[in-house]
Amino acid sequence: MSTAIPGIAAPGKIIAVHLNYPSRAAQRGRTPAQPSYFLKPASSLASSGSSLERPAGTELLAFEGEIALVIGEPARRVSPDEGWAHVAAVTAANDFGLYDLRAADKGSNVRSKGGDGFTPLGPRLLDAASLDPAGLRVRTWVDGELVQEDTSATLLFPFGRLVADLSQLMTLERGDVILTGTPAGSSVVVPGNVVEVEVDAPGVPGAPSSGRLVTTITGGTVPFGDFGSAPEVDDRQRIEAWGDAASAGLAETSTDAGEPEFELTDELRALLSSVGTATLSVQLRKRGYTDVFLEGVHANRAGARVVGRARTLRFIPFRPDLFARRGGGYNAQKVAFDTVDPGEVLVIDARGERGTGTVGDVLALRAQVRGAAGIVTDGGTRDFDVVAAMEIPTFSQGPHPSVLGRRHVPWEVDVTISCGGAAVEPGDVIVGDGDGVIVIPPSLAWEVAREAAAQEDEDEWVAKQVAAGASVDGLFPMNAEWRARYEAERRGPDLVRP
């Protein structure tokens, strides 16, 4: 690798971060509370313009465009504020991986990420001292088409924090390389593809750039021997490697039980929107689900309704040291609001503590811009009048002007939580109206929605009879005679009152 900064030694360690961009975390369906890492051997290094062989008998070689940090001054037990000062340079990296060998690795990535040529770097190094660590951009092209683009401003774990975290246990030495994670867009490449990665600083005069790191994919001819783990793929690996089921050529994803994955279709969403939470709770109670109502949670605006799948955020009780560690920067709360997807309902576990705000105008606006279906918290709402007037429906325990740190530490996202005393898992179906908010297990959603719609049809008919002067005795609930009248009217226009 050619360098623009002399004196950088060959790396003794190449350390890679698993997940660090919100876009990638959302794609993977999990957002880590802390960074995690794996090692790549120095023998995996390659320079720009090199070829990378996809081994014979494999199909899932994937690229990951990344920003690489090159350590200058050794770092041992440094703070996050000091971490960036130990970075001498940055450059482009491509963290290639072979999903066919993930099962053999069992999480170590030794074989799946450690092959010869699996870590191309370059072609030029950028002097870190002249750069803003939050002002870098990484882009990836496959055969000239832009497939990845993101900036270091969005990172879950900023560069200084990565250096500090690693230095707690090991000395980062001159020339060591840290691969800082890849954004969404990573996918599979095949022989003949050309992959290019560039890191630049568009906000710096002259927009200094690493140049494009070019790798050409070739097909291997030597098969694996019979003395080690053989390549192995399944549909789950294909989906993860390609990025989604459609790109992998699969019609649908499957659950572990082999059943089609639940989808909140437009038809089901409309059906759930047409019935009340009171009716849904009756149907769930019939099936043994008695603790699915989010107690104390009400609509911030009269007439608001929400239907969507849950995206979860959990707060823990305030403690100064924990808030100092997890409350600032791009914390879990900001990640949740910044990555909620269209149609999702962000459900917040505030432990029923209403003595502080858990959502305010800026974060609510971010969720609205991203197309979220709604926000539900069993805590308070800051900027209440502004939030209540927004297009996005919000549900809470009411207004409170205090900031988050008074009672809470934003802790984690995409985990099972308790909201209003009800258990909520990511992906659960959330329905809210003037009576409050209810959670429905996805496996029951269609069944409960259909029966709730039928029940409301009956209740509407009963209400008409009461309005016409009928007694509720025998009518609510309907006895056999009233039931017969109801069924007869459903088949025809005439109504005979008993």
Side-chain angles (χ1 to χ4, degrees):
M1 179 182 71
S2 62
T3 69
I5 303 174
I8 297 295
K13 298 184 286 294
I14 304 171
I15 306 168
V17 180
H18 282 109
L19 286 173
N20 201 11
Y21 285 87
S23 62
R24 180 67 162 172
Q27 187 180 39
R28 286 295 199 224
R30 62 184 186 276
T31 300
Q34 300 291 346
S36 61
Y37 314 90
F38 58 93
L39 289 168
K40 300 190 76 171
S43 57
S44 69
L45 287 174
S47 59
S48 183
S50 61
S51 297
L52 177 60
E53 177 186 293
R54 187 187 74 177
T58 64
E59 63 173 277
L60 301 179
L61 176 65
F63 64 85
E64 294 183 4
E66 307 201 9
I67 299 170
L69 312 181
V70 181
I71 297 297
E73 291 300 315
R76 178 70 165 122
R77 295 196 177 102
V78 302
S79 71
D81 290 339
E82 299 167 330
W84 177 248
H86 291 262
V87 177
V90 300
T91 192
N94 202 330
D95 180 19
F96 282 101
L98 193 63
Y99 281 71
D100 309 63
L101 293 177
R102 290 177 86 188
D105 277 349
K106 295 180 173 60
S108 73
N109 289 336
V110 169
R111 299 178 72 202
S112 64
K113 291 272 193 173
D116 288 352
F118 275 38
T119 316
L121 296 177
R124 294 187 295 274
L125 296 176
L126 303 178
D127 184 359
S130 64
L131 303 174
D132 175 1
L136 298 175
R137 176 175 62 176
V138 59
R139 291 180 291 176
T140 306
W141 296 262
V142 175
D143 293 341
E145 178 183 355
L146 182 66
V147 293
Q148 287 186 295
E149 181 173 4
D150 214 326
T151 73
S152 55
T154 71
L155 293 176
L156 298 174
F157 313 112
F159 297 144
R161 180 173 171 182
L162 297 178
V163 173
D165 186 29
L166 290 165
S167 76
Q168 294 183 93
L169 188 63
M170 66 184 76
T171 299
L172 296 175
E173 298 169 318
R174 187 174 181 81
D176 284 349
V177 172
I178 302 174
L179 306 182
T180 59
T182 195
S186 165
S187 193
V188 171
V189 284
V190 299
N193 285 156
V194 177
V195 189
E196 300 171 277
V197 183
E198 180 184 15
V199 170
D200 65 353
V204 174
S209 167
S210 67
R212 292 200 183 186
L213 171 66
V214 181
T215 306
T216 301
I217 309 303
T218 63
T221 58
V222 180
F224 282 88
D226 58 2
F227 41 81
S229 297
E232 178 184 343
V233 297
D234 55 23
D235 285 350
R236 177 183 176 185
Q237 296 301 331
R238 291 186 177 96
I239 292 168
E240 290 209 357
W242 282 95
D244 55 60
S247 299
L250 301 172
E252 61 183 15
T253 59
S254 300
T255 64
D256 292 339
E259 297 295 329
E261 185 179 10
F262 171 80
E263 180 183 358
L264 182 56
T265 62
D266 291 342
E267 180 184 3
L268 178 54
R269 189 184 296 270
L271 188 59
L272 288 167
S273 296
S274 72
V275 296
T277 57
T279 309
L280 291 168
S281 68
V282 170
Q283 293 300 327
L284 286 164
R285 189 168 64 251
K286 288 179 179 179
R287 293 160 175 81
Y289 290 82
T290 57
D291 294 312
V292 292
F293 193 79
L294 278 57
E295 298 292 343
V297 176
H298 306 288
N300 289 348
R301 181 183 69 247
R305 292 188 61 91
V306 64
V307 177
R309 299 195 71 180
R311 180 77 183 276
T312 60
L313 166 62
R314 176 177 169 243
F315 294 137
I316 66 170
F318 177 80
R319 207 174 83 182
D321 59 325
L322 297 180
F323 193 86
R325 189 170 60 187
R326 300 278 283 273
Y330 199 61
N331 59 34
Q333 182 191 37
K334 292 178 181 177
V335 169
F337 280 90
D338 213 27
T339 60
V340 63
D341 285 329
E344 292 183 331
V345 179
L346 185 57
V347 185
I348 302 171
D349 175 2
R351 309 176 316 285
E353 171 55 67
R354 61 178 300 169
T356 187
T358 54
V359 56
D361 56 351
V362 172
L363 292 180
L365 180 60
R366 179 59 176 153
Q368 177 174 294
V369 169
R370 288 191 59 82
I375 302 166
V376 175
T377 174
D378 62 356
T381 299
R382 293 187 73 214
D383 312 305
F384 185 85
D385 291 342
V386 177
V387 173
M390 287 184 179
E391 178 183 341
I392 186 171
T394 55
F395 294 73
S396 71
Q397 289 219 56
H400 202 285
S402 294
V403 295
L404 185 71
R406 182 170 184 260
R407 298 286 174 85
H408 302 295
V409 181
W411 200 249
E412 57 188 337
V413 300
D414 299 326
V415 295
T416 301
I417 62 171
S418 170
C419 185
V424 181
E425 286 195 308
D428 280 347
V429 177
I430 303 297
V431 182
D433 60 16
D435 281 341
V437 182
I438 201 165
V439 56
I440 305 173
S443 61
L444 294 177
W446 270 109
E447 176 186 339
V448 166
R450 289 188 179 109
E451 294 202 21
Q455 180 185 334
E456 290 209 344
D457 183 72
E458 291 185 13
D459 290 347
E460 182 180 358
W461 186 85
V462 167
K464 288 181 180 179
Q465 313 317 308
V466 173
S471 168
V472 295
D473 183 28
L475 174 61
F476 188 64
M478 286 188 280
N479 59 22
E481 187 175 3
W482 273 113
R483 173 69 62 182
R485 299 294 190 275
Y486 170 70
E487 297 294 344
E489 183 169 317
R490 292 187 65 194
R491 293 191 297 268
D494 296 332
L495 170 64
V496 179
R497 288 176 54 197

